[in-house]
């Protein structure tokens, strides 16, 4: 397994060792000990799956307060453009985003700690997206940032996105609360 830092502190890419033969493939999708060695917590409490059609954009979502979540994301089927936006107000990368193609062929994962808004666009005909969360979902603590906010300059790689009503009515980036503060290690 290879775990790499990204240009935004805290975000990690995980490339599992995949063993293939004439029967198919095998890989470990999670190993508490190996992930802990790289600072990924082991307190996952909820697993989520979504199935989406090509052109769908989901995001940018996050939770605040004592319900903030870290997420370990991967694609089970298909391909997505995964996007994380740094919303830690005193971070050097505040307002910057990191975009990464995740697909079921490579099986790459991304670790997104608390303090990031997250979303993805579906590039394949269909995608099944999976993510482990370090906290339970709480509607009262859920927040959204407008996916196409011009300040963020995210290229979702989709010409005509399909977006939920909730995501279309999300706050602009400039209007979000100061919910997260970057704490250097």
């Amino acid at each position: 397994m290879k775990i790499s830092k990204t240009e935004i502190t805290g975000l990690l890419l995980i490339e599992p060792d995949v063993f293939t033969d004439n029967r198919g493939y095998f890989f470990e999708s999670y190993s508490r000990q190996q992930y802990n060695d790289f600072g990924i917590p082991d307190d996952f409490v909820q697993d989520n799956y979504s199935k989406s059609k090509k052109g769908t954009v989901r995001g940018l979502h996050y939770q605040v307060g004592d319900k903030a979540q870290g997420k370990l994301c991967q694609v089970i089927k298909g391909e997505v453009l995964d996007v994380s936006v740094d919303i830690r107000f005193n971070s050097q990368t505040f307002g910057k985003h990191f975009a990464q193609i995740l697909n079921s062929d490579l099986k790459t994962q991304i670790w997104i700690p608390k303090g990031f808004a997250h979303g993805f666009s579906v590039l394949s005909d269909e995608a099944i997206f999976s993510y482990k969360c370090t906290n339970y979902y709480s509607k009262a603590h859920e927040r959204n940032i407008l996916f196409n906010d011009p300040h963020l300059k995210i290229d979702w790689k989709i010409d005509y996105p399909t977006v939920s009503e909730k995501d279309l009515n999300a706050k602009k980036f400039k209007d979000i609360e100061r919910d997260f503060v970057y704490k250097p290690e």
Side-chain angles (χ1 to χ4, degrees):
M1 172 183 306
K2 179 182 174 190
I3 299 182
S4 308
K5 294 179 180 180
T6 68
E7 60 262 21
I8 299 181
T9 301
L11 292 177
L12 300 174
L13 288 177
I14 300 114
E15 299 172 61
D17 294 323
V18 181
F19 304 95
T20 60
D21 62 23
N22 64 341
R23 299 168 296 164
Y25 65 83
F26 170 85
F27 73 100
E28 290 181 356
S29 64
Y30 176 73
S31 169
R32 176 184 284 178
Q33 181 179 352
Q34 287 185 350
Y35 284 51
N36 275 179
D37 289 347
F38 285 92
I40 298 172
D42 61 6
D43 57 346
F44 295 108
V45 297
Q46 183 173 317
D47 283 1
N48 298 320
Y49 284 77
S50 69
K51 179 179 174 182
S52 306
K53 300 183 303 185
K54 185 174 188 164
T56 296
V57 173
R58 294 184 182 264
L60 296 158
H61 305 149
Y62 62 101
Q63 289 190 184
V64 298
D66 63 352
K67 297 297 183 180
Q69 296 175 317
K71 297 176 181 177
L72 180 62
C73 304
Q74 67 182 4
V75 171
I76 304 301
K77 177 183 177 186
E79 182 170 86
V80 307
L81 178 71
D82 191 87
V83 177
S84 301
V85 177
D86 188 347
I87 57 173
R88 302 168 298 175
F89 272 84
N90 61 333
S91 167
Q92 290 182 335
T93 52
F94 173 72
K96 304 291 184 207
H97 71 275
F98 177 79
Q100 174 71 36
I101 299 284
L102 300 180
N103 65 46
S104 53
D105 291 336
L106 296 177
K107 297 163 188 43
T108 302
Q109 299 173 327
I110 187 164
W111 163 247
I112 306 165
K114 297 172 186 176
F116 289 82
H118 173 254
F120 64 89
S121 62
V122 179
L123 306 177
S124 55
D125 288 338
E126 177 180 274
I128 298 176
F129 190 85
S130 167
Y131 54 106
K132 300 174 94 49
C133 300
T134 60
N135 214 334
Y136 297 104
Y137 170 75
S138 169
K139 185 174 179 74
H141 294 82
E142 181 182 38
R143 304 291 185 269
N144 298 33
I145 299 172
L146 189 61
F147 79 101
N148 61 353
D149 186 315
H151 176 84
L152 298 176
K153 298 178 182 152
I154 298 170
D155 178 1
W156 292 97
K157 311 290 186 209
I158 300 292
D159 291 330
Y160 303 102
T162 302
V163 182
S164 72
E165 189 73 26
K166 175 181 77 173
D167 290 347
L168 286 172
N169 294 311
K171 281 186 175 185
K172 289 189 175 186
F173 179 76
K174 69 178 180 64
D175 297 328
I176 65 171
E177 303 294 324
R178 295 180 176 259
D179 293 305
F180 296 96
V181 176
Y182 174 67
K183 297 174 185 166
E185 297 173 11

